[in-house]
Amino acid sequence: MRRMILIISSLLIGAVLFAGGASESGKTTVEIWHSNAGIAGNAFEEIVDEFNNTIGEEKGIVIEPIYQGAANDVLTKVKAAATADRSSLPDIAQLDATACLDMKNADYLILPQDINLNTSYIMPSAIEALMSDRGLLGIPFNASSLLFFYNKTLFDSLSLDPPETLDDFAEIAPLLGEKDSNGKITRYAFAGVPATYELGTFIGAQNGLSYFVDMQNGHMGTPEKVLLEDEGTFRNFLVHWKNLYDTGWVNNITSGISTEFAAGRTATMLSSSSDIASVIKNVGGRFEVGTAFVPKTDENATGGVNIGGGSFFIFTPSDAVRTVLEYFISENVQLKWAEETGYMPINTDLYDNPDYLSFLSENPQFKVAMDQTEASNPKVTSIWLPSAYQIYYSFQSTIRAVTEDGMDIDAAVHEMASIIQKAIDEYRAQNIQ
C-alpha cells in the first residue's frame, strides 16, 4: 500500500511540473500556437529549430510550435481554451489585428511590460499598431503593409509608372487591359474587391489621418460611434473606386486573385508585403514583378498605410517566455524572417545592417514596403471591431453592390455604417458594464 501511495504521489508531482511548462526531460517548454504556413511556415520552423539547438539547449528551454490554422482559427481556439480551462492556454499565441479587441478586454492576457520585455528597438509603427488604453498588448513579429503589385514588364512596355491616385489608375486602366478577337477580356487592369485591410489605407490615409470609428479605431477604448459616414471618408472612397470600376477593366473577384496575377490575367492587384516571395515564385519568371505604394484615394490622402500582419500575445508570465520573445525579435532572426518571407523586420537595428541593405538592393520589391511604411503616419492603424470577419465581408458586399448593381453611394455608406454600429452596440451591451 505504501509503495502504491508513493507511485501515485510521484505521478501527481510529475503532472503538476508538466502543466507548469516543464517537460519530462527537465526542460521548460514554451508552447506557441501559430498560423504560419507555406513559405512562412518553413521559415518559422527553421527559426524554432535554431533556437532549440542553441539558446534553448543552453538555457533548458524548448519551443513547441503548434500550427492551429488561419489567424482567426487561432483566436477561436484561444478564446475556447480561456473559457473552458485556462491551464490549456498556450504560453504564446500568434494573432492578427482582428483579435485585438478581444485581447484588450481579456483578463488572462499578460502584457509585455509585465515580463519586463524591452521594446525600445521595435519599429514605431508596429508599436502603434498594438498600442491600447491598457498599454502595449503584444509583441509585433510578422509585420506587413499593403502593397500595389504590378506587372512591371507590361508597365515598362507601355512606358507607364504605377498610379499615384485612384483617378490616375482610372486613366491608365484601359491601356493595361486586353481583349481577344471576340471582345472577351483576357487581361484586366485590376482584380479584387477591397475589404477592411485595404480600406485601412484608403480610409485611414484620408486627410492625413482618418478613423473608421471613434476611440482611435478602438485602440484607446471600446468604440462607441462610427465615423466613416459623418466624416465622408467611405463615400469619398466609393466615388473614386466606382470611377475606376466604370472603366470596365476591374475584375470584382474575391478569391484566386494572386493566381490571376501570376498567370498574367490581371495587370495589378493589392496584397500584403508578406506575399512578395510567394508571388515572385508563382510568377516563375513569366514577367518581372513590381511593387509600389498603394494608390491614394485622392491627393489629400497623405497618411499612408497601416501595419498589418501578426503579433505574439502572451498568456504565461515567465522568464522562459521572455527569452523566447527576445529571440524572435532579435536582429538575426528578423533578418532571416524578412529575407525568406517578405515581412518587414520590426527590429530597427536592422536598418543599418549591411546584410539587410544588400538584400534590399538586390530585391527592390521588398524595399518598397519599408519605404512606404517610413513615409506613413504611424497613427494610421487597423480597426479593432467586434464581428471583425463579418464586417470584412460586409465591406466587400457593399462595394460590389455599388459597382455591379448600381446601389446609391449614400445609401451604401449608411448601410455599412449601420452594420458596424450594430456590431459595436451589441458588443458593448454584452461586455461593457
PDB file of all heavy atoms in Angstrom, residues 192-213:
ATOM      1  N   GLY A 192      -9.848  42.263 -57.755  1.00  0.00           N
ATOM      2  CA  GLY A 192     -10.037  42.287 -56.308  1.00  0.00           C
ATOM      3  C   GLY A 192     -11.139  43.232 -55.883  1.00  0.00           C
ATOM      4  O   GLY A 192     -11.565  44.106 -56.651  1.00  0.00           O
ATOM      5  N   VAL A 193     -11.612  43.031 -54.652  1.00  0.00           N
ATOM      6  CA  VAL A 193     -12.605  43.908 -54.032  1.00  0.00           C
ATOM      7  C   VAL A 193     -12.085  44.289 -52.655  1.00  0.00           C
ATOM      8  O   VAL A 193     -11.868  43.410 -51.812  1.00  0.00           O
ATOM      9  CB  VAL A 193     -13.979  43.212 -53.887  1.00  0.00           C
ATOM     10  CG1 VAL A 193     -15.001  44.175 -53.293  1.00  0.00           C
ATOM     11  CG2 VAL A 193     -14.463  42.679 -55.232  1.00  0.00           C
ATOM     12  N   PRO A 194     -11.852  45.566 -52.391  1.00  0.00           N
ATOM     13  CA  PRO A 194     -11.300  45.972 -51.090  1.00  0.00           C
ATOM     14  C   PRO A 194     -12.169  45.528 -49.919  1.00  0.00           C
ATOM     15  O   PRO A 194     -13.405  45.495 -50.009  1.00  0.00           O
ATOM     16  CB  PRO A 194     -11.250  47.503 -51.197  1.00  0.00           C
ATOM     17  CG  PRO A 194     -11.145  47.765 -52.661  1.00  0.00           C
ATOM     18  CD  PRO A 194     -11.995  46.701 -53.304  1.00  0.00           C
ATOM     19  N   ALA A 195     -11.506  45.185 -48.824  1.00  0.00           N
ATOM     20  CA  ALA A 195     -12.192  44.866 -47.567  1.00  0.00           C
ATOM     21  C   ALA A 195     -11.521  45.676 -46.461  1.00  0.00           C
ATOM     22  O   ALA A 195     -10.868  46.680 -46.729  1.00  0.00           O
ATOM     23  CB  ALA A 195     -12.133  43.365 -47.301  1.00  0.00           C
ATOM     24  N   THR A 196     -11.662  45.245 -45.229  1.00  0.00           N
ATOM     25  CA  THR A 196     -11.179  46.049 -44.104  1.00  0.00           C
ATOM     26  C   THR A 196      -9.692  46.375 -44.205  1.00  0.00           C
ATOM     27  O   THR A 196      -9.278  47.504 -43.928  1.00  0.00           O
ATOM     28  CB  THR A 196     -11.436  45.305 -42.775  1.00  0.00           C
ATOM     29  OG1 THR A 196     -12.730  44.711 -42.812  1.00  0.00           O
ATOM     30  CG2 THR A 196     -11.366  46.258 -41.604  1.00  0.00           C
ATOM     31  N   TYR A 197      -8.894  45.403 -44.606  1.00  0.00           N
ATOM     32  CA  TYR A 197      -7.444  45.615 -44.670  1.00  0.00           C
ATOM     33  C   TYR A 197      -7.100  46.726 -45.665  1.00  0.00           C
ATOM     34  O   TYR A 197      -6.365  47.667 -45.351  1.00  0.00           O
ATOM     35  CB  TYR A 197      -6.765  44.302 -45.052  1.00  0.00           C
ATOM     36  CG  TYR A 197      -5.250  44.375 -45.138  1.00  0.00           C
ATOM     37  CD1 TYR A 197      -4.506  45.131 -44.240  1.00  0.00           C
ATOM     38  CD2 TYR A 197      -4.570  43.660 -46.121  1.00  0.00           C
ATOM     39  CE1 TYR A 197      -3.115  45.186 -44.325  1.00  0.00           C
ATOM     40  CE2 TYR A 197      -3.180  43.706 -46.209  1.00  0.00           C
ATOM     41  CZ  TYR A 197      -2.462  44.475 -45.307  1.00  0.00           C
ATOM     42  OH  TYR A 197      -1.094  44.523 -45.393  1.00  0.00           O
ATOM     43  N   GLU A 198      -7.635  46.644 -46.884  1.00  0.00           N
ATOM     44  CA  GLU A 198      -7.349  47.645 -47.891  1.00  0.00           C
ATOM     45  C   GLU A 198      -7.936  49.007 -47.516  1.00  0.00           C
ATOM     46  O   GLU A 198      -7.312  50.051 -47.744  1.00  0.00           O
ATOM     47  CB  GLU A 198      -7.906  47.202 -49.248  1.00  0.00           C
ATOM     48  CG  GLU A 198      -7.247  45.972 -49.841  1.00  0.00           C
ATOM     49  CD  GLU A 198      -7.792  44.659 -49.305  1.00  0.00           C
ATOM     50  OE1 GLU A 198      -8.721  44.688 -48.462  1.00  0.00           O
ATOM     51  OE2 GLU A 198      -7.295  43.589 -49.704  1.00  0.00           O
ATOM     52  N   LEU A 199      -9.105  48.986 -46.921  1.00  0.00           N
ATOM     53  CA  LEU A 199      -9.742  50.248 -46.534  1.00  0.00           C
ATOM     54  C   LEU A 199      -9.021  50.914 -45.373  1.00  0.00           C
ATOM     55  O   LEU A 199      -9.166  52.120 -45.156  1.00  0.00           O
ATOM     56  CB  LEU A 199     -11.211  50.002 -46.176  1.00  0.00           C
ATOM     57  CG  LEU A 199     -12.095  49.639 -47.373  1.00  0.00           C
ATOM     58  CD1 LEU A 199     -13.462  49.160 -46.909  1.00  0.00           C
ATOM     59  CD2 LEU A 199     -12.249  50.812 -48.326  1.00  0.00           C
ATOM     60  N   GLY A 200      -8.225  50.130 -44.639  1.00  0.00           N
ATOM     61  CA  GLY A 200      -7.393  50.739 -43.613  1.00  0.00           C
ATOM     62  C   GLY A 200      -6.491  51.800 -44.201  1.00  0.00           C
ATOM     63  O   GLY A 200      -6.176  52.809 -43.550  1.00  0.00           O
ATOM     64  N   THR A 201      -6.087  51.601 -45.455  1.00  0.00           N
ATOM     65  CA  THR A 201      -5.304  52.606 -46.177  1.00  0.00           C
ATOM     66  C   THR A 201      -6.199  53.605 -46.891  1.00  0.00           C
ATOM     67  O   THR A 201      -6.024  54.814 -46.748  1.00  0.00           O
ATOM     68  CB  THR A 201      -4.371  51.917 -47.195  1.00  0.00           C
ATOM     69  OG1 THR A 201      -3.386  51.167 -46.482  1.00  0.00           O
ATOM     70  CG2 THR A 201      -3.666  52.940 -48.068  1.00  0.00           C
ATOM     71  N   PHE A 202      -7.166  53.119 -47.658  1.00  0.00           N
ATOM     72  CA  PHE A 202      -7.996  54.017 -48.460  1.00  0.00           C
ATOM     73  C   PHE A 202      -8.791  55.007 -47.606  1.00  0.00           C
ATOM     74  O   PHE A 202      -9.029  56.145 -48.008  1.00  0.00           O
ATOM     75  CB  PHE A 202      -8.949  53.220 -49.344  1.00  0.00           C
ATOM     76  CG  PHE A 202      -8.276  52.540 -50.501  1.00  0.00           C
ATOM     77  CD1 PHE A 202      -8.471  51.191 -50.734  1.00  0.00           C
ATOM     78  CD2 PHE A 202      -7.461  53.249 -51.362  1.00  0.00           C
ATOM     79  CE1 PHE A 202      -7.850  50.554 -51.800  1.00  0.00           C
ATOM     80  CE2 PHE A 202      -6.829  52.629 -52.437  1.00  0.00           C
ATOM     81  CZ  PHE A 202      -7.032  51.267 -52.661  1.00  0.00           C
ATOM     82  N   ILE A 203      -9.212  54.573 -46.416  1.00  0.00           N
ATOM     83  CA  ILE A 203      -9.920  55.476 -45.496  1.00  0.00           C
ATOM     84  C   ILE A 203      -8.952  56.113 -44.513  1.00  0.00           C
ATOM     85  O   ILE A 203      -8.967  57.320 -44.294  1.00  0.00           O
ATOM     86  CB  ILE A 203     -11.036  54.718 -44.751  1.00  0.00           C
ATOM     87  CG1 ILE A 203     -12.183  54.396 -45.717  1.00  0.00           C
ATOM     88  CG2 ILE A 203     -11.563  55.536 -43.562  1.00  0.00           C
ATOM     89  CD1 ILE A 203     -13.304  53.599 -45.092  1.00  0.00           C
ATOM     90  N   GLY A 204      -8.093  55.287 -43.920  1.00  0.00           N
ATOM     91  CA  GLY A 204      -7.192  55.779 -42.874  1.00  0.00           C
ATOM     92  C   GLY A 204      -6.264  56.883 -43.326  1.00  0.00           C
ATOM     93  O   GLY A 204      -5.890  57.763 -42.539  1.00  0.00           O
ATOM     94  N   ALA A 205      -5.870  56.870 -44.591  1.00  0.00           N
ATOM     95  CA  ALA A 205      -4.913  57.855 -45.097  1.00  0.00           C
ATOM     96  C   ALA A 205      -5.552  59.183 -45.475  1.00  0.00           C
ATOM     97  O   ALA A 205      -4.853  60.176 -45.706  1.00  0.00           O
ATOM     98  CB  ALA A 205      -4.179  57.287 -46.315  1.00  0.00           C
ATOM     99  N   GLN A 206      -6.873  59.221 -45.548  1.00  0.00           N
ATOM    100  CA  GLN A 206      -7.544  60.452 -45.996  1.00  0.00           C
ATOM    101  C   GLN A 206      -7.299  61.600 -45.020  1.00  0.00           C
ATOM    102  O   GLN A 206      -7.300  61.415 -43.802  1.00  0.00           O
ATOM    103  CB  GLN A 206      -9.046  60.207 -46.178  1.00  0.00           C
ATOM    104  CG  GLN A 206      -9.366  59.350 -47.389  1.00  0.00           C
ATOM    105  CD  GLN A 206     -10.851  59.277 -47.689  1.00  0.00           C
ATOM    106  OE1 GLN A 206     -11.557  60.294 -47.647  1.00  0.00           O
ATOM    107  NE2 GLN A 206     -11.349  58.088 -48.004  1.00  0.00           N
ATOM    108  N   ASN A 207      -7.061  62.764 -45.601  1.00  0.00           N
ATOM    109  CA  ASN A 207      -6.824  63.989 -44.817  1.00  0.00           C
ATOM    110  C   ASN A 207      -5.644  63.840 -43.851  1.00  0.00           C
ATOM    111  O   ASN A 207      -5.619  64.470 -42.789  1.00  0.00           O
ATOM    112  CB  ASN A 207      -8.091  64.382 -44.052  1.00  0.00           C
ATOM    113  CG  ASN A 207      -9.294  64.515 -44.968  1.00  0.00           C
ATOM    114  OD1 ASN A 207      -9.220  65.161 -46.005  1.00  0.00           O
ATOM    115  ND2 ASN A 207     -10.394  63.879 -44.594  1.00  0.00           N
ATOM    116  N   GLY A 208      -4.691  62.994 -44.220  1.00  0.00           N
ATOM    117  CA  GLY A 208      -3.525  62.787 -43.372  1.00  0.00           C
ATOM    118  C   GLY A 208      -3.727  61.728 -42.316  1.00  0.00           C
ATOM    119  O   GLY A 208      -2.806  61.004 -41.965  1.00  0.00           O
ATOM    120  N   LEU A 209      -4.951  61.615 -41.795  1.00  0.00           N
ATOM    121  CA  LEU A 209      -5.298  60.609 -40.787  1.00  0.00           C
ATOM    122  C   LEU A 209      -6.800  60.628 -40.559  1.00  0.00           C
ATOM    123  O   LEU A 209      -7.378  61.663 -40.220  1.00  0.00           O
ATOM    124  CB  LEU A 209      -4.591  60.890 -39.457  1.00  0.00           C
ATOM    125  CG  LEU A 209      -4.964  59.984 -38.275  1.00  0.00           C
ATOM    126  CD1 LEU A 209      -4.568  58.540 -38.557  1.00  0.00           C
ATOM    127  CD2 LEU A 209      -4.308  60.467 -36.983  1.00  0.00           C
ATOM    128  N   SER A 210      -7.438  59.490 -40.775  1.00  0.00           N
ATOM    129  CA  SER A 210      -8.871  59.355 -40.514  1.00  0.00           C
ATOM    130  C   SER A 210      -9.132  57.996 -39.878  1.00  0.00           C
ATOM    131  O   SER A 210      -8.371  57.045 -40.080  1.00  0.00           O
ATOM    132  CB  SER A 210      -9.685  59.487 -41.812  1.00  0.00           C
ATOM    133  OG  SER A 210      -9.582  60.785 -42.353  1.00  0.00           O
ATOM    134  N   TYR A 211     -10.216  57.922 -39.118  1.00  0.00           N
ATOM    135  CA  TYR A 211     -10.574  56.677 -38.443  1.00  0.00           C
ATOM    136  C   TYR A 211     -11.935  56.178 -38.900  1.00  0.00           C
ATOM    137  O   TYR A 211     -12.810  56.967 -39.258  1.00  0.00           O
ATOM    138  CB  TYR A 211     -10.601  56.884 -36.928  1.00  0.00           C
ATOM    139  CG  TYR A 211      -9.251  57.194 -36.321  1.00  0.00           C
ATOM    140  CD1 TYR A 211      -9.014  58.398 -35.655  1.00  0.00           C
ATOM    141  CD2 TYR A 211      -8.202  56.279 -36.407  1.00  0.00           C
ATOM    142  CE1 TYR A 211      -7.778  58.679 -35.088  1.00  0.00           C
ATOM    143  CE2 TYR A 211      -6.959  56.548 -35.847  1.00  0.00           C
ATOM    144  CZ  TYR A 211      -6.754  57.754 -35.192  1.00  0.00           C
ATOM    145  OH  TYR A 211      -5.525  58.028 -34.641  1.00  0.00           O
ATOM    146  N   PHE A 212     -12.128  54.871 -38.869  1.00  0.00           N
ATOM    147  CA  PHE A 212     -13.424  54.261 -39.147  1.00  0.00           C
ATOM    148  C   PHE A 212     -14.411  54.577 -38.019  1.00  0.00           C
ATOM    149  O   PHE A 212     -15.572  54.871 -38.257  1.00  0.00           O
ATOM    150  CB  PHE A 212     -13.288  52.736 -39.216  1.00  0.00           C
ATOM    151  CG  PHE A 212     -12.550  52.181 -40.391  1.00  0.00           C
ATOM    152  CD1 PHE A 212     -11.210  52.452 -40.603  1.00  0.00           C
ATOM    153  CD2 PHE A 212     -13.193  51.336 -41.282  1.00  0.00           C
ATOM    154  CE1 PHE A 212     -10.529  51.902 -41.666  1.00  0.00           C
ATOM    155  CE2 PHE A 212     -12.524  50.773 -42.358  1.00  0.00           C
ATOM    156  CZ  PHE A 212     -11.186  51.059 -42.552  1.00  0.00           C
ATOM    157  N   VAL A 213     -13.897  54.424 -36.777  1.00  0.00           N
ATOM    158  CA  VAL A 213     -14.723  54.590 -35.578  1.00  0.00           C
ATOM    159  C   VAL A 213     -13.960  55.433 -34.568  1.00  0.00           C
ATOM    160  O   VAL A 213     -12.768  55.699 -34.736  1.00  0.00           O
ATOM    161  CB  VAL A 213     -15.096  53.219 -34.955  1.00  0.00           C
ATOM    162  CG1 VAL A 213     -15.951  52.397 -35.904  1.00  0.00           C
ATOM    163  CG2 VAL A 213     -13.836  52.436 -34.569  1.00  0.00           C
TER     164      VAL A 213
END
